[in-house]
Amino acid sequence: MAEIRRSVCALDCPDCCSLLVTIDNGRGARLRGDAAHPVTRGFLCGKVAQYLEREYSPGRLLYPQRRVGAKGEGRFERITWDEALDTIAQRLQGVAREFGPEAILPYSYAGTMGLLNGSGMDRRFFHRLGASRLDRTICSEAGIVGLTEALGLRHATEPEQFRHARLIIAWGANILGTNVHLWPFIMEARRNGARFYTIDPHRNRTGAAADRHYFINPGSDTALALALMHVIVEESLYDRDYVERYTEGFEGLRERVREWTPQRAFALTGIPAEEIAALAREYATTRPAAIRLNYGVQRTERGAMAFRTIALLPALTGSWRDIGGGLQASTSLAFNVSLNRQGLERADLQWRSLGRQARLVNMTELAAALTTLDAPPVKALVVYNSNPAAIAPNQNVVLRGMAREDLFTVVLEQFQNDTADYADILLPSTTFLEHTDLYLAYGHYYLQLARPALAAPGEARSNVEVFRALALRMGFDDPCFRETDDDMLRTLLDSRHPFLEGITLEELDRRGWIRLRLPEPFRPFAEGGFGTSDGKCHFRAEELDYRPPEESRHGDQDLRRRYPLELISPKNDDSMNSTFGHRDAADRQTATLHLSAEDAARRGIRNADRVVMWNDRGRVVLAAEVDGRVRPGVVCAPSVRWGKRAPGGRNVNALTSSRLTDKGGGPTFYSCLVEVERAGD
Ligand SMILES: Nc1nc2c(c(=O)[nH]1)N[C@H]1C(S)=C(S)[C@@H](COP(=O)(O)OP(=O)(O)OC[C@H]3O[C@@H](n4cnc5c(=O)[nH]c(N)nc54)[C@H](O)[C@@H]3O)O[C@H]1N2
Ligand SMILES: Nc1nc2c(c(=O)[nH]1)N[C@H]1C(S)=C(S)[C@@H](COP(=O)(O)OP(=O)(O)OC[C@H]3O[C@@H](n4cnc5c(=O)[nH]c(N)nc54)[C@H](O)[C@@H]3O)O[C@H]1N2
Ligand code: SF4
Ligand SMILES: [Mo]
């Protein structure tokens, strides 16, 4: 008889699905979405429906290894866990003695969204060690700053409410690709007469399925939002009552947006003025109207301002009042304010080792951290839950840094990816199907627990186990390093916050998922409740401003003469950043460059031609796909490929820059000027 075990998809995806694993003869035989989960609703995305391929892949790392070839070459020999842990402990202690512990840099992101394995024992370990702290900016930090400036508390409309909307705008949000569990709610709304629009420089699958697609020039969203406000204010389409009761600074906003005519915005966004005006009217007069804003918009040079400006729209129209109104960017704040993450991460331990907070190193600036940072330089790098050799911007400099002979690198991984090739010690990691963890979500409000559903292969260990063992090896005797997984889970749930009231580990074990104790329906700003001293939404219009990215058609004209094309590299539908880079299909999809017919013709490029794309930072070889998905002037390369599988060993991040966003220190992956030509034969 087949047995069913419960799990949770740990990938960096807003949907955070509840999974059912069918076990047959001790092996995982099938993965399904839990039909009872209100957001998963019984289905999985294509990439994870086939996750057992990855789980049982011959590419899984099974044993600890030591590098024997050159850095980046990928030649390793098997060693024992004892040898591996002893070597790491000795080397880290040596670096700490000679250069100070801040010469050690952890590098991790959201390979797993699990709290224990993503920000648990690892954080305790590095805090106690006194290592540099990593500023985890690579994905969403600019947007978080922008939303917080707009709303104070960046709460969001829950996905289930989208079924009630009459107008849904996917703003820089590829819902079918990166957030597919929102789709059934959108379809339900559409069956009831709702319209669905997309705003994106790339007409992807979601845009193709929309009632209307607005091609917008990369990095120009603030101009569009200001012009929408212009029309809404000039034509008195705002919600007077809401604005009066729950906002502050409307007169200033009126002044500010006066100059932002649709005509002016057309010149910057490429969206015709009459279409902007019509969209503004429709948005302001349709209720409920929901915006799904995703992070693509804020991976541009002034991404924080873009998020901030867009997030003010529902306050102007009073859309926060409505079930199925408002805006969703991320639901994570509700978990972060209620779970006891301080107790889990133990930042206080830094004072034991350093007597102060350790320095902060921005992960987006890894290139500089490994090549120019001083006092102290980075002498040891410990990578887990991330593949920086592929995903970080300015790849040529990153790889030069990772190749340094005097850098000691430890990598905890499931697969032999680009980063693994640069390890001195390479450790095999468990997958989310093999270890215990607790999951927040950033696309819904259900807290979820997963226990191991499958046995770990070979000698793979969880991050928690590895950092626990290292702490003990290094003589850290604080009781927190002896805690079991369940101790850590209880710590996380040990909170007086009303969102967690009565939620226990026992109940999570019984049910798998539990909605946070939020009001039902949750309308965070229906009656004010913004995170400001007076609970109002403060427009602070004098701070609202738009300037085009330097690397864009309206930016640095010298640069643009040499590099006339705007490159965006959004997520590939069948990938998860670089996590499925071993799959041939994912590799092919991320080896593609979408060009407009006009830009292709000008360069003598035909469909399926090999093309070289380059700028001052690097070059990459891709296969051209000439189609109507992008407008002239824009090229689009779905991401993120394993560089090691590409000609020249580089992916698109060889071209992206380490320039930071206006606020939050985020990356500007989608503000990137390039040129393209046909590759020689
Ligand atoms: N299938 C799949 N799902 C994923 C991921 C994946 O790699 N593959 N990655 C996960 C991760 S890490 C994240 S952060 C989320 C991200 O999820 P999304 O934010 O939805 O993904 P992106 O593709 O980064 O960006 C969304 C859209 O923004 C568009 N865009 C780019 N520049 C601009 C701009 O200047 N203005 C506007 N309006 N749109 C712009 C892109 O073309 C893209 O269609 O998805 C997660 N889910
Ligand atoms: N050009 C371009 N670059 C981008 C982006 C883009 O859109 N365009 N997107 C950016 C964004 S939004 C993000 S979030 C980053 C994502 O960058 P990363 O967070 O580095 O994401 P992945 O490439 O998916 O790599 C995660 C790795 O973690 C490993 N892993 C998973 N679970 C575990 C575990 O339990 N233990 C250990 N030790 N390892 C585990 C996986 O095997 C995988 O190799 O990429 C960024 N880079
Ligand atoms: S990647 Fe997202 S949509 Fe796919 S199974 Fe995981 S959580 Fe669900
Ligand atoms: Mo991300």
Side-chain angles (χ1 to χ4, degrees), residues 54 386-387 391 412-413 429 463 569 571 578-579 653 670:
R54 187 172 191 273
S386 184
N387 182 9
I391 63 87
L412 288 69
E413 247 306 338
S429 301
N463 297 343
S569 48
K571 315 300 185 203
S578 74
T579 295
N653 280 324
Y670 308 161

Side-chain angles (χ1 to χ4, degrees), residues 12 109 138-140 295 299 442 571 577:
D12 185 357
Y109 201 63
I138 199 84
C139 176
S140 56
Y295 287 115
R299 289 188 198 106
Y442 62 98
K571 315 300 185 203
N577 302 310

Side-chain angles (χ1 to χ4, degrees), residues 336-356:
N336 286 328
V337 295
S338 56
L339 290 165
N340 178 13
R341 295 193 63 164
Q342 291 85 338
L344 181 68
E345 298 181 14
R346 295 293 307 274
D348 56 291
L349 290 169
Q350 291 166 99
W351 273 264
R352 291 280 306 277
S353 44
L354 286 177
R356 59 175 169 80

